[in-house]
């Protein structure tokens, strides 16, 4: 959890692995008897009553027909070329950012446990240190595309020094990391 000082000591938020979150969501859907269809949409169109119909490819590849499903909620999680996203184009907003994020896992020296989130605001974007578990933290560094590409090309030792310099800390702040 992420905790800040002040009167309210409740966590501001949590870092949850995607697999854990997905499994929990599936459990809730199963418990509430919600039908989940994992399929590739070939196209979506409105029927004569103005309701969206999703045409999915038949699981039987030998058959050349499409099944039609109707749903109150549709989750399009099929990437940036999503058919669902294209269908909802008027509702989808996007733009190109001039920044990139560099994410890495860092290890603190033995006996040092990060229990607080730290963030510093640099001229080219924020750098955050988020607690994971034991003596590991996650680094999320938003910076220019050029600097992000340079940081990703560094070896572990050089990257650690860059993080230390950015946080303006003693050289013992981090001991090692998994490459970004």
């Amino acid at each position: 959890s992420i905790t800040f000082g002040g009167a309210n000591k409740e966590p501001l938020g949590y870092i949850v692995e995607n697999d854990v979150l997905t499994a929990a969501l599936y459990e809730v859907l199963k418990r509430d008897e919600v039908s989940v269809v994992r399929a590739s949409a070939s196209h979506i169109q409105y029927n004569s009553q103005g309701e969206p119909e999703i045409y999915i490819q038949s699981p039987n590849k030998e058959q050349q027909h499409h099944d039609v499903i109707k749903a109150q909620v549709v989750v399009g999680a099929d990437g940036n070329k999503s058919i669902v996203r294209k269908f909802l184009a008027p509702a989808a907003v996007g733009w190109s950012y001039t920044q990139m994020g560099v994410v890495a896992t860092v290890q603190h020296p033995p006996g040092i446990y990060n229990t607080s989130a730290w963030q510093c605001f640099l001229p080219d974007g924020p750098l955050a240190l988020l607690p994971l578990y034991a003596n590991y933290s996650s680094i999320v560094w938003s910076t220019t595309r050029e600097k992000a590409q340079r940081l990703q090309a560094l070896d572990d030792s050089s990257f650690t020094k860059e993080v230390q310099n950015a946080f303006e800390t003693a050289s013992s702040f981090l001991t090692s990391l998994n490459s970004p």
Side-chain angles (χ1 to χ4, degrees), residues 5 16 26 36 42 68-70 79 89 119 127 136 147 158-159 174 177:
V16 181
Y26 271 114
V36 176
S42 61
V68 179
I69 58 173
K70 295 179 185 178
Q119 187 170 13
L127 169 60
Y136 290 89
K147 185 170 184 177
S158 299
F159 182 78
L174 303 174
L177 59 99

Side-chain angles (χ1 to χ4, degrees), residues 17-168:
E17 293 178 41
N18 187 55
D19 292 345
V20 173
L21 182 61
T22 302
L25 289 171
Y26 271 114
E27 284 299 315
V28 170
L29 293 171
K30 184 178 175 182
R31 180 197 69 208
D32 293 348
E33 298 180 358
V34 174
S35 296
V36 176
V37 177
R38 296 181 77 177
S40 297
S42 61
H43 64 283
I44 303 173
Q45 67 185 34
Y46 287 104
N47 64 20
S48 59
Q49 288 79 37
E51 301 167 328
E53 292 182 338
I54 304 156
Y55 289 79
I56 60 173
Q57 295 172 349
S58 173
N60 185 348
K61 303 249 185 230
E62 295 171 8
Q63 297 178 3
Q64 295 297 319
H65 77 278
H66 291 86
D67 294 325
V68 179
I69 58 173
K70 295 179 185 178
Q72 291 178 321
V73 176
V74 175
V75 176
D78 49 346
N80 64 350
K81 302 208 186 293
S82 165
I83 290 180
V84 173
R85 182 184 184 136
K86 286 179 186 175
F87 180 75
L88 298 174
V93 177
W95 52 87
S96 177
Y97 291 95
T98 58
Q99 292 188 311
M100 259 177 96
V102 177
V103 179
T105 301
V106 295
Q107 182 179 13
H108 303 278
I112 304 294
Y113 300 98
N114 182 20
T115 59
S116 299
W118 296 87
Q119 187 170 13
C120 61
F121 297 91
L122 305 170
D124 53 355
L127 169 60
L129 181 69
L130 307 168
L132 287 175
Y133 56 90
N135 63 331
Y136 290 89
S137 292
S138 178
I139 292 283
V140 181
W141 194 339
S142 298
T143 187
T144 64
R145 289 184 181 277
E146 295 77 21
K147 185 170 184 177
Q149 290 167 348
R150 184 180 64 76
L151 289 169
Q152 289 176 323
L154 295 174
D155 60 59
D156 290 356
S157 175
S158 299
F159 182 78
T160 300
K161 287 177 186 169
E162 288 278 342
V163 173
Q164 289 169 335
N165 289 339
F167 272 117
E168 297 180 350

